[in-house]
Amino acid sequence: MVMEMTFKKRLAVTAVTMGMAMAGSVGLASADDDVLVIGAPLALTGGLADEGKKQQDVWKLWLEKINAAGGIDVAGKKMQVKFVEYDYQTDGKRAGQLAEKLITDDEVDVIMAPFGSGHTKIIAAVAERYQVPMLACVASSVSVYDQGFKYLFGTLAPNTGMTESMVEFFKEKNPELKKVAVYGRDDVFPKSMATALANSAESGGLDVVYNELYAVGTMDHSAAISAIKSANPDWVYMTGYTQDLILGRKQLADMGVNTPIVTMVTGPAYREYTEGVGELADGVTSSTWWHHSTAYTNAVGAWSTTADFYADFTAAYKSDPDYVSASCAAAADVLVNAVQVAGSKDKQAVRDALAATDILTFYGPIDFGDNGMNQGREMPIIQVQGEEIKVLYPASIADAEMKMIK
């Protein structure tokens, strides 16, 4: 009781129901067979607020689509859908506590994971303990999925394939590429990407002349950037979250680091990044899991084509959706499909249906492997050119040639 009162005093609490009406923290009984209750601890304030807001926005859009159809069809009847969301303020410990509150107090049927591999891993342990199915739409580090969790499923493909294709592609586009500097945030996803890139670069015959991590919360990268400049790389690869990468790009420019290739993962995938650095975004490359130029049709879920999702999203938010928005919307579609296959909200039946999932969504194919991760596929390499995001790879959806930074 004391902990619950503390949450009510200290946390911004949102309950999102059909119609997206806002209310206080309310119990939504899962015992009602006609209502599917989805719990979502989100980082709506703090360092990951930009990312958390993306998840909240796209689930609002998705729920409006579900509302328009009168709910979802399950075992011959309509089932309503409700979201219960709590702001965990980008605090991992609080995220775990709120996940438990959603399960024990709000009696949710399933958990949607927040942004990032680190916080997803924390919440997955809670969901596993209570045997509640959990969908992660923005966690791609294998280290989250190698814990033996049976109730965790992720819509992003493993991040390891990204770095191998990027090294090969960049070597093809710049035959003079010899040296790479790797600089990553010491956090689950960014660290795994930095490690994977360094390994892929070495395997690809490149010289890794700098390979260091920076602490979470670092507000000055000048010492590291000075060392990078001294190493004279042809390619700078930096990982982190939006605010890290905005600061890093500005300091690279301020300190005169001029390399033909600057990659920031996953910087240009976010509008907030390109707006935050302005002209300095031009030429910056990144990798992502999805781009709206993909043309999937005959898809399962709220949107039958990629184009339909893109049209609804841009009409609602006046900006292009990125992979976070697409993956999280697809995760909701995957959940509904599992409930429909199971014919009920029974947690074990839904979990088993998720494990057997092999469907096409507007976001792309979803086929969970033995560890719960979506299977690997070719993932786009993108670049900011002028004020637009262009797809460089794979060739099937490429709409521009790579440009070197001058």
Side-chain angles (χ1 to χ4, degrees):
M1 179 63 72
V2 174
M3 180 175 291
E4 182 174 359
M5 290 302 295
T6 300
F7 285 137
K8 289 181 179 179
K9 291 178 180 178
R10 296 180 59 191
L11 301 180
V13 178
T14 305
V16 186
T17 63
M18 293 297 289
M20 302 310 295
M22 297 299 179
S25 176
V26 294
L28 297 171
S30 181
D32 185 351
D33 290 338
D34 295 329
V35 181
L36 176 65
V37 186
I38 304 171
L42 295 173
L44 299 176
T45 56
L48 293 177
D50 289 342
E51 290 83 356
K53 186 65 164 55
K54 287 177 184 291
Q55 293 180 279
Q56 185 183 53
D57 283 348
V58 82
W59 284 329
K60 176 181 178 181
L61 184 67
W62 177 84
L63 197 53
E64 288 173 348
K65 196 81 170 177
I66 297 299
N67 284 345
I72 60 176
D73 295 317
V74 180
K77 64 181 181 179
K78 286 290 185 181
M79 182 179 290
Q80 302 303 300
V81 182
K82 294 182 180 180
F83 266 84
V84 185
E85 299 175 352
Y86 292 124
D87 176 13
Y88 71 89
Q89 301 175 339
T90 317
D91 182 309
K93 181 179 180 181
R94 184 170 288 132
Q97 292 169 337
L98 285 173
E100 187 162 14
K101 176 177 172 58
L102 284 163
I103 294 168
T104 59
D105 291 356
D106 298 300
E107 299 183 17
V108 299
D109 299 302
V110 68
I111 292 284
M112 289 292 194
F115 181 90
S117 295
H119 292 167
T120 293
K121 192 172 186 178
I122 292 170
I123 293 174
V126 177
E128 192 73 16
R129 185 164 71 250
Y130 287 97
Q131 297 186 346
V132 174
M134 174 170 153
L135 281 159
C137 54
V138 247
S140 64
S141 298
V142 175
S143 62
V144 177
Y145 299 88
D146 65 1
Q147 306 298 303
F149 296 138
K150 300 299 183 184
Y151 286 78
L152 171 64
F153 301 90
T155 49
L156 294 186
N159 54 36
T160 49
M162 282 183 165
T163 57
E164 295 169 356
S165 58
M166 181 172 277
V167 168
E168 182 178 351
F169 181 77
F170 285 179
K171 285 176 62 181
E172 175 188 336
K173 296 300 178 181
N174 184 0
E176 297 180 357
L177 175 60
K178 303 297 181 185
K179 298 186 292 183
V180 59
V182 180
Y183 186 45
R185 172 175 163 134
D186 193 3
D187 202 351
V188 178
F189 166 71
K191 180 179 179 179
S192 68
M193 289 300 294
T195 300
L197 191 282
N199 291 339
S200 296
E202 290 179 347
S203 297
L206 300 181
D207 185 10
V208 180
V209 295
Y210 183 89
N211 186 10
E212 297 292 340
L213 299 173
Y214 61 91
V216 175
T218 296
M219 299 303 294
D220 182 8
H221 300 290
S222 58
I225 290 174
S226 178
I228 289 172
K229 184 177 181 179
S230 297
N232 194 30
D234 307 306
W235 177 14
V236 173
Y237 182 95
M238 181 176 177
T239 71
Y241 295 125
T242 305
Q243 298 306 317
D244 302 321
L245 300 177
I246 289 173
L247 177 61
R249 183 66 187 104
K250 289 179 177 179
Q251 289 194 304
L252 283 169
D254 289 344
M255 297 180 67
V257 177
N258 299 310
T259 59
I261 305 174
V262 173
T263 299
M264 296 201 149
V265 176
T266 53
Y270 302 124
R271 174 173 50 85
E272 292 81 6
Y273 171 83
T274 54
E275 290 178 348
V277 300
E279 293 181 354
L280 292 175
D282 191 35
V284 175
T285 51
S286 190
S287 49
T288 187
W289 284 263
W290 177 87
H291 190 270
H292 60 77
S293 61
T294 54
Y296 295 110
T297 60
N298 299 318
V300 171
W303 293 276
S304 62
T305 71
T306 308
D308 289 340
F309 172 75
Y310 180 76
D312 283 355
F313 188 96
T314 53
Y317 299 114
K318 313 306 179 191
S319 65
D320 288 344
D322 58 29
Y323 79 92
V324 174
S325 301
S327 180
C328 289
D333 284 337
V334 169
L335 166 62
V336 167
N337 179 75
V339 172
Q340 291 172 326
V341 170
S344 74
K345 304 187 304 174
D346 178 79
K347 293 180 175 61
Q348 182 63 48
V350 171
R351 181 263 162 215
D352 292 345
L354 285 169
T357 296
D358 185 1
I359 61 174
L360 178 69
T361 69
F362 78 88
Y363 160 81
I366 305 292
D367 177 13
F368 297 122
D370 292 340
N371 66 351
M373 290 194 81
N374 197 12
Q375 299 297 290
R377 55 193 170 98
E378 286 189 323
M379 290 173 280
I381 297 172
I382 59 176
Q383 183 177 44
V384 182
Q385 295 187 4
E387 296 181 354
E388 298 182 354
I389 304 297
K390 297 293 186 180
V391 180
L392 308 178
Y393 172 92
S396 59
I397 60 170
D399 59 5
E401 287 292 327
M402 183 178 179
K403 296 180 178 180
M404 300 299 145
I405 297 176
K406 298 179 180 179

